[in-house]
Amino acid sequence: MPPSSDISAFRSALQQSKRIIIVAGAGLSTASGIPTFRGAGGYWRSFEATRLATPEAFAANPSLVWQFYHYRREKVFACKPNNAHHVIARLLRHEYRQPIAPLANQCTLITQNVDGLSIRAREELAASDPTSANSESGDIIEMHGRLVDTLCKRCEDRRSNTQSPICPALAGTEVRTDAIMDEAGKRVPEATISTEDLPHCEKEGCGGLLRPGVVWFGEAIPDLEAIDGLVDAADMCLVVGTSSVVYPAAGFADTVRQNGGTVAVFNIEASRGDKKADFLFIGPCEETLGNVLGISLGESTS
Ligand code: BJW
Ligand code: ZN
């Protein structure tokens, strides 16, 4: 049976749900101005973003990979959460969830995004209503790491670094976003920053080369056991703005469905997630999510 787009049927299922997971991807942040990984937005200087997100690419050309991540860090510093992040921040909070999912005592966002915008939306919500700053909010799991984190290749020290730019040599490289051609139409090679000028570990006596603290292809997802536990227990799975091609996240909806739960996909277009969906809401999630869930943002956000 094809998935339904009946909002009242979806809301009835939500009323019955007890444990909700939201599985999010790059489409959650497009309205904030962050490019996706696949499709038209998935290129940087004519490189496929997914080809740069590997340990092999970093080993072969740390200068290029750092320029890509520096560009994305600077972009995120200049962005703010959009309506979809704000709706999810509310859904995570018990008092906002109560009217639409009264039985749901657990609600967790499992995001593949590394931009930190979901955390920022949650912080903004807490700040906008100081009386409920301590009220219970569901967890946010950033399963592919964080752009602002660095990881030392030598001592494995992981820490948050929000310096802009992260090192002097990368300053200004973010403005080059397209491939440059010379008069003969030949591609001008990328400027190479020598490895010693890239970010290095500041831990006492280390000085090892730093890499972005994100999860690349072939690398393990931190705390996957805990995530699997949440997925196994969930009876409602909202899949928001992901192409559902990257595992393990792409398999979470299958698990929920196999366990008898309900899956609702929110995507701007058809995606691989559709075939495992009970409900499908096509459109920009920054509009559909609030409408379908019945969460209004009022005047406070953009
Ligand atoms: C909108 C919208 C709007 C636009 N509104 N919608 C099983 C089968 C086959 C392969 C594997 C498997 N298990 C593991 C693998 C290998 C691999 C994998 O999945 N490969 C596939 C490509 C086949 N997985 C891994 O390697 C993972 N590791 C692992 O499994 O380790 C095992 C292990 C165990 C023990 C020891 C060692 C290893 C790791 C995956 C890491 C992925 N990393 C990246 C980069 C992160 C860092 C960074 O950001 O730079 O994560 S790749 C990239 O893809 C990024 C994303 O999080 C991820 C998913 O992409 P996403 O978010 O779905 O984005 P898009 O662009 O694809 O889609 C956007 C969607 O939004 C589209 O559908 C649009 O239509 C939509 N959209 N605007 C609503 N306004
Ligand atoms: Zn170190």
Side-chain angles (χ1 to χ4, degrees), residues 151-157 159 200-210:
L151 176 64
C152 176
K153 295 279 292 167
R154 186 179 292 158
C155 74
E156 293 184 1
D157 178 59
R159 59 179 71 181
H200 279 78
C201 183
E202 284 172 9
K203 213 174 157 194
E204 189 76 41
C206 179
L209 178 64
L210 295 179

Side-chain angles (χ1 to χ4, degrees), residues 214-232:
V214 297
V215 181
W216 284 328
F217 283 117
E219 296 182 329
I221 309 292
D223 299 324
L224 185 56
E225 251 178 64
I227 298 175
D228 282 341
L230 290 164
V231 174
D232 270 330

Side-chain angles (χ1 to χ4, degrees), residues 1-5 10 236-240 244 250 252-258 261-267 269-282:
M1 230 182 31
S4 159
S5 56
F10 168 73
M236 171 64 74
C237 175
L238 311 183
V239 180
V240 181
S244 294
F252 295 163
D254 293 314
T255 305
V256 173
R257 202 133 189 249
Q258 277 155 19
T262 301
V263 173
V265 170
F266 296 79
N267 199 301
E269 60 183 31
S271 72
R272 273 216 215 159
D274 300 359
K275 63 178 186 301
K276 42 208 166 192
D278 300 286
F279 295 96
L280 174 61
F281 300 105
I282 294 283

Side-chain angles (χ1 to χ4, degrees), residues 26 37-38 69 72 144 215 218-219 242-243 247 267 285-286:
F37 273 90
R38 295 166 186 82
Y69 278 90
R72 291 177 56 207
H144 289 165
V215 181
E219 296 182 329
T242 174
S243 55
Y247 287 84
N267 199 301
C285 61
E286 59 276 14

